[in-house]
Amino acid sequence: MATETSTNSHGAEQLKLLANEAFKAHKYSQAIDLYTQAIEMNSENAVYWANRAFAHSKLEEYGSAIQDATKAIEIDPKYSKGYYRRGAAYMAMGKFKMALKDFQQVKKICPNDPDAAKKLKACEKAVMKLKFEEAIAVPESERRSIADSIDYHAIDVEPQYAGARIEDDVVTLDFVKKMMDDFKNQKCLHKRYAYQIVLQTREMLQPLPSLVDINVPTGKHFTVCGDVHGQFYDLLNIFELNGLPSEDNPYLFNGDFVDRGSFSLEVILTLFAFKCMSPSAIYLARGNHESKSMNKIYGFEGEVKSKLSDKFVELFAEVFCCLPLAHVINEKVFVVHGGLFSVDGVKLSDIRKIDRFCEPPEEGLMCELLWSDPQPQLGRGPSKRGVGLSFGADVTKRFLQDNKLDLVVRSHEVKDEGYEIEHDGKLITVFSAPNYCDQMGNKGAFIRFEAPDLKPNIVTFTAVPHPDVKPMAYANNFLQMFS
């Protein structure tokens, strides 16, 4: 028996070393598989659980990371890495008060570790800031629209400004091309025109239902893109490969336009400008990152403050609440950022009626549309992310049957090939940010649908070079400390 245990321990250690190598090569899914095999051979080693927690965090699976780190702590209550990994995952989810408890424990276990003291201080600062913001927050019922307080016509454009200009208040293709060219050369758009684009987009989005129907005439095509995440130069490449948005070449961008990538402002102003130019040339859906809590942590808030102003942060938050939550193409294809629901029987009419003009809640239909993920197993399971849920092929099949639909298209998850077909061909994930965060090595993809049959034609592409501004360059420093 002792020999068998010793063999298991040795085999588990070898698997851990292989997992560590995969992790170093940014092959996080492979690392998770190898750590899992090590755990199956020796489930009482806290290091394996903590390491797997770190790999889950790298894939933004913070719910799974918290579970694994908690298991490491149960095995060895004095193992500081367990608390550290769990605290970092809580930080990434914006649960600063939970994180603070874990970092206090790290400091208690390692009282003389300067790194532990530094991390605890950063966490304390984040909690203090949160408490201050909560104290000065205006109640929802008394909150006035920031958009109503802005008159962009009253803002002067200096004679020396050499960038793109909107003539006669009309956003034209020439203006959008000049603006994109300026952005490509890392020049800024004047705030007067930025205000106009964002405010006009708000006016177009506000009256829309939460579920928008799209009609693609026979003989015409329609392109669906997934997450772009502030990767402006890859967005330009999509347009290079597939043409600029127009009435004859329409697009749907399926959420998560911003955060992570450090050209998020350029991405959102470009997409909004095309919407102003021609509303039927481009459709925009909300992702889980079109929210205050995500923007505060993952870079968009800091980027907007740096490139424009604090007022624009509030304005974008307001406009993001106007974005529709889902689209249906020709009554056949359901397109949503995240996924499906914790209950059966949800009808398209239920989605259409959702009051979306708010920050995403932590449960309910709106939350699940933005956060859920498919799973290979049937039925439903807990979310790897700690928000929403995981749903199986049977859930997808019933939803499609109930609503007389053929296909679900969703985004929200990085995929090695830029896409993945799951659930017996009834669900496609599309992700359009290649080499995500400059380290994942994945391809990007978009889907072209030709009417009337709407057979998905998937096009993949690789990342293009961008200026030397790192992902998360504008993100909260404390989050970078923990990653």
Side-chain angles (χ1 to χ4, degrees):
M1 187 69 186
T3 308
E4 189 182 323
T5 305
S6 169
T7 305
N8 277 2
S9 295
H10 179 71
E13 272 300 298
Q14 293 304 111
L15 286 163
K16 183 196 85 170
L17 294 173
L18 290 171
N20 291 352
E21 289 304 312
F23 186 97
K24 282 180 199 162
H26 307 304
K27 294 177 179 174
Y28 303 118
S29 294
Q30 190 184 332
I32 287 168
D33 289 344
L34 289 162
Y35 288 131
T36 301
Q37 290 174 46
I39 287 165
E40 283 165 359
M41 294 185 85
N42 179 8
S43 62
E44 293 305 305
N45 188 317
V47 175
Y48 303 164
W49 291 96
N51 285 8
R52 192 172 75 173
F54 196 18
H56 277 303
S57 286
K58 288 291 187 181
L59 291 178
E60 300 173 27
E61 296 170 354
Y62 300 118
S64 297
I66 287 164
Q67 283 181 333
D68 278 359
T70 301
K71 183 68 180 174
I73 292 162
E74 284 171 10
I75 292 166
D76 184 357
K78 289 190 165 58
Y79 182 50
S80 63
K81 274 270 177 70
Y83 297 99
Y84 185 92
R85 296 288 174 234
R86 189 170 69 181
Y90 279 134
M91 289 287 273
M93 292 177 73
K95 297 187 175 183
F96 303 132
K97 291 172 187 173
M98 301 284 280
L100 182 59
K101 291 177 186 172
D102 280 331
F103 287 112
Q104 285 168 338
Q105 199 62 34
V106 173
K107 181 74 170 70
K108 201 171 169 185
I109 295 166
C110 312
N112 301 317
D113 183 343
D115 188 53
K118 189 178 168 189
K119 300 271 193 313
L120 177 59
K121 200 169 182 182
C123 196
E124 285 170 340
K125 195 174 169 187
V127 171
M128 288 295 290
K129 189 167 183 254
L130 187 69
K131 283 180 179 171
F132 175 72
E133 285 169 356
E134 285 171 354
I136 62 166
V138 178
E140 197 72 45
S141 56
E142 297 171 29
R143 206 166 288 168
R144 291 179 58 212
S145 165
I146 189 84
D148 295 341
S149 71
I150 298 163
D151 177 11
Y152 62 83
H153 292 106
I155 300 171
D156 289 328
V157 179
E158 302 77 10
Q160 65 267 33
Y161 172 71
R165 290 173 181 262
I166 299 173
E167 305 293 345
D168 303 320
D169 267 7
V170 179
V171 176
T172 63
L173 180 59
D174 284 344
F175 163 78
V176 182
K177 283 180 173 176
K178 165 77 170 130
M179 181 186 73
M180 288 195 298
D181 204 47
D182 286 349
F183 286 162
K184 190 177 176 182
N185 295 308
Q186 291 185 273
K187 293 176 184 170
C188 294
L189 180 68
H190 196 282
K191 66 179 178 180
R192 185 234 185 265
Y193 304 124
Y195 272 131
Q196 180 176 341
I197 288 166
V198 180
L199 289 167
Q200 284 187 358
T201 302
R202 175 178 172 266
E203 281 175 30
M204 288 176 197
L205 296 175
Q206 262 187 323
L208 296 174
S210 291
L211 173 72
V212 173
D213 289 293
I214 298 169
N215 178 48
V216 183
T218 297
K220 299 289 187 180
H221 65 269
F222 189 87
T223 303
V224 178
C225 294
D227 304 34
V228 178
H229 274 302
Q231 296 186 197
F232 177 69
Y233 295 83
D234 293 306
L235 175 66
L236 292 182
N237 189 37
I238 291 171
F239 294 151
E240 194 72 32
L241 295 169
N242 196 57
L244 292 172
S246 68
E247 287 187 17
D248 290 325
N249 189 36
Y251 283 80
L252 164 56
F253 282 84
N254 197 28
D256 281 14
F257 322 121
V258 301
D259 280 340
R260 297 281 186 182
S262 294
F263 303 94
S264 291
L265 182 62
E266 289 80 356
V267 167
I268 198 67
L269 286 176
T270 298
L271 298 178
F272 279 6
F274 275 117
K275 189 73 181 168
C276 294
M277 179 196 87
S278 174
S280 59
I282 196 163
Y283 296 83
L284 302 169
R286 194 173 191 175
N288 61 300
H289 275 267
E290 277 70 54
S291 69
K292 282 184 193 176
S293 59
M294 292 289 109
N295 296 163
K296 194 178 288 294
I297 298 171
Y298 292 101
F300 185 59
E301 181 182 297
E303 184 181 341
V304 172
K305 283 181 178 179
S306 173
K307 294 177 181 177
L308 286 170
S309 69
D310 288 22
K311 198 171 198 176
F312 268 99
V313 172
E314 288 183 63
L315 181 60
F316 276 115
E318 201 171 286
V319 178
F320 287 164
C321 291
C322 300
L323 288 162
L325 304 176
H327 294 76
V328 172
I329 305 169
N330 287 10
E331 301 180 351
K332 288 184 176 180
V333 181
F334 179 73
V335 190
V336 66
H337 179 71
L340 300 180
F341 310 102
S342 54
V343 292
D344 285 338
V346 176
K347 294 290 176 41
L348 296 181
S349 56
D350 298 320
I351 301 167
R352 204 170 272 114
K353 288 185 292 201
I354 293 171
D355 179 5
R356 69 183 186 278
F357 297 96
C358 60
E359 288 303 306
E362 292 200 8
E363 57 185 16
L365 297 187
M366 181 170 168
C367 169
E368 290 161 4
L369 285 164
L370 298 178
W371 279 97
S372 293
D373 295 297
Q375 65 178 21
Q377 310 89 334
L378 296 178
R380 295 177 173 91
S383 166
K384 297 174 291 189
R385 301 172 188 269
V387 190
L389 69 143
S390 298
F391 59 95
D394 53 334
V395 175
T396 299
K397 186 180 177 183
R398 286 195 297 271
F399 174 78
L400 292 172
Q401 284 174 345
D402 287 349
N403 290 286
K404 299 182 173 61
L405 296 163
D406 295 341
L407 180 69
V408 173
V409 173
R410 45 87 62 179
S411 305
H412 195 41
E413 282 184 288
V414 61
K415 297 293 179 184
D416 286 346
E417 292 301 312
Y419 74 97
E420 188 171 351
I421 302 170
E422 298 170 82
H423 292 184
D424 306 316
K426 294 294 183 186
L427 182 144
I428 304 176
T429 297
V430 61
F431 191 86
S432 304
N435 195 27
Y436 180 46
C437 294
D438 282 359
Q439 66 171 30
M440 297 300 282
N442 60 293
K443 290 179 184 171
F446 53 82
I447 308 174
R448 271 174 72 108
F449 291 97
E450 309 277 341
D453 65 346
L454 295 190
K455 182 175 172 290
N457 176 28
I458 300 169
V459 179
T460 65
F461 56 96
T462 53
V464 295
H466 64 75
D468 188 21
V469 184
K470 298 284 182 281
M472 303 276 281
Y474 301 93
N476 258 324
N477 287 338
F478 63 76
L479 190 67
Q480 294 174 324
M481 288 170 69
F482 298 101
S483 59

